Amino acid sequence: MSVLKLEYAEEIQRLKKEKNAIILAHNYQISEVQDISDFIGDSLKLSRLAGETDASIIVFCGVHFMAETASIISPNKKVLIPDLEAGCSLASSINPQELLKWKGENPDAMVVSYVNTSAEIKALSDYCCTSSNAVKVVQSIPKHTPILFLPDMFLGAYVAEVTKRDNIQIWPGECHVHAGITDKDINLMLKKYSKAEFLVHPECSCTSSTLYHVSKGDINRDCKILSTEGMMKEASSSKNDQFLIATEVGILHRMQVENPFKEFIPVKKDAICKYMKKITVEKVYNSLLNDVHEVKVPEKIAKRAIIPIERMLAIS
């Protein structure tokens, strides 16, 4: 870290104490941002952690829908995102008008929305889910009930494959990162690193296509499908010292920090979320100093959006 960044980091620590603030960083943030954060993890875990702290201000270093979720779960806290342009291509693949039309065409269906969606979409949904609990959420719904699954088409296809339900309609959305990770890329790397343990992160839209290809047999190596913490625990406890990671490359920093004598290899080096990388240490400092940019979900939407989130948590 440069001298300038160290100065920013010191000021950030001072401002945190002064303002009773906490900094959360998603696993795919740049390494410098992870290093100044209080907690690192997946979006839902971070939002829940934020709600459990006594902090007055949450600086969410992630993308916009994550800050919205933190606001929904912690309505009495001020939630800030350092860069308003930190969006999500997957979340943007469906809007409320499209969902209302889809629901109107299927009035008897239950709507299951991946957490990578806006607060407005959550407010129109019956259940939320993550990649790791999507199968369990769908299985909790009576088999005869039609399901509208959105917005990730690969995760939806995976869930349909595992549950063997033929009454799931799937929205054709995808994120710009996982669209570039293919079973051919994975098999090439598995052949090159024949002794590496293959780990797949289930709570990331970027790996939902991988999960689908594993279920279909397109990927010819056993893999371990683990949550963020499960992946970190596996990396630490496994006797293997080499790992192939099929997800956004930002998580490799945390893996290496916690396991300095092991090797972590990305399946695809350019699996980079350009939105996640918009946040910098300088922007975190500016956010804390000037209380920008606040993300506040309107109360009417928040009250409706918390229902599918709570249903998901009850099932999980």
Side-chain angles (χ1 to χ4, degrees):
M1 189 178 289
S2 67
V3 174
L4 182 60
K5 283 189 172 65
L6 282 172
E7 291 176 354
Y8 277 123
E10 290 173 359
E11 279 299 295
I12 286 168
Q13 296 306 315
R14 181 186 66 79
L15 287 167
K16 279 198 320 183
K17 293 179 181 178
E18 178 184 307
K19 296 191 169 189
N20 188 29
I22 191 170
I23 299 175
L24 310 179
H26 192 272
N27 286 306
Y28 308 143
Q29 290 292 296
I30 62 173
S31 58
E32 291 90 350
V33 168
Q34 291 189 38
D35 291 341
I36 61 167
S37 300
D38 297 292
F39 295 104
I40 309 168
D42 64 76
S43 63
L44 193 59
K45 176 192 172 183
L46 292 176
S47 295
R48 295 174 75 173
L49 277 170
E52 294 168 1
T53 72
D54 61 0
S56 303
I57 297 174
I58 301 168
V59 181
F60 210 123
C61 301
V63 294
H64 197 269
F65 78 80
M66 298 177 184
E68 284 187 330
T69 304
S71 175
I72 292 167
I73 293 176
S74 303
N76 297 322
K77 299 180 187 294
K78 179 181 284 187
V79 179
L80 305 174
I81 188 167
D83 192 325
L84 281 176
E85 293 185 1
C88 173
S89 57
L90 178 60
S92 297
S93 67
I94 187 168
N95 61 48
Q97 291 72 34
E98 290 171 324
L99 179 51
L100 284 169
K101 182 175 182 293
W102 201 23
K103 288 177 66 171
E105 294 167 349
N106 301 274
D108 298 325
M110 287 281 188
V111 177
V112 178
S113 295
Y114 189 30
V115 291
N116 291 38
T117 50
S118 69
E120 289 181 290
I121 294 297
K122 290 180 175 72
L124 293 170
S125 303
D126 297 295
Y127 292 87
C128 282
C129 71
T130 65
S131 294
S132 61
N133 65 26
V135 170
K136 188 181 289 187
V137 169
V138 168
Q139 287 176 333
S140 74
I141 299 171
K143 289 186 178 181
H144 66 272
T145 303
I147 293 174
L148 303 180
F149 191 98
L150 62 98
D152 192 314
M153 62 182 179
F154 292 109
L155 180 58
Y158 168 70
V159 171
E161 176 73 18
V162 173
T163 62
K164 303 301 180 184
R165 293 178 70 138
D166 58 6
N167 59 351
I168 299 179
Q169 293 188 56
I170 302 164
W171 189 261
E174 63 180 19
C175 92
H176 74 283
V177 179
H178 83 244
I181 300 177
T182 68
D183 55 310
K184 290 182 180 179
D185 295 322
I186 294 167
N187 280 324
L188 183 66
M189 293 297 284
L190 290 176
K191 184 176 181 180
K192 184 176 180 180
Y193 298 96
S194 58
K195 296 181 179 180
E197 188 171 338
F198 180 36
L199 305 183
V200 178
H201 187 307
E203 295 191 4
C204 164
S205 61
C206 308
T207 59
S208 55
S209 59
T210 302
L211 300 180
Y212 176 63
H213 287 302
V214 167
S215 72
K216 296 291 287 184
D218 298 332
I219 293 172
N220 56 20
R221 171 87 70 86
D222 289 338
C223 72
K224 292 190 176 179
I225 302 170
L226 301 166
S227 67
T228 297
E229 296 313 310
M231 184 178 282
M232 299 307 301
K233 288 177 183 177
E234 176 65 19
S236 297
S237 63
S238 175
K239 294 181 179 179
N240 207 318
D241 60 3
Q242 188 181 67
F243 300 82
L244 268 176
I245 310 299
T247 189
E248 210 272 359
V249 298
I251 198 172
L252 298 177
H253 174 70
R254 181 184 173 197
M255 288 184 155
Q256 201 65 70
V257 167
E258 296 187 17
N259 304 277
F261 302 109
K262 295 185 178 183
E263 183 182 13
F264 300 94
I265 306 158
V267 165
K268 197 168 186 184
K269 290 181 179 179
D270 62 352
I272 298 171
C273 176
K274 62 182 180 181
Y275 300 108
M276 283 284 187
K277 306 313 186 203
K278 284 184 176 293
I279 294 174
T280 64
V281 172
E282 293 88 343
K283 290 177 181 178
V284 174
Y285 167 72
N286 179 58
S287 184
L288 262 176
L289 181 66
N290 298 305
D291 286 355
V292 295
H293 303 274
E294 184 173 5
V295 176
K296 184 67 175 176
V297 177
E299 185 177 358
K300 184 177 179 181
I301 294 175
K303 283 184 175 180
R304 292 168 60 193
I306 194 66
I307 296 172
I309 293 173
E310 289 179 339
R311 284 175 178 163
M312 172 186 68
L313 297 177
I315 293 168
S316 299

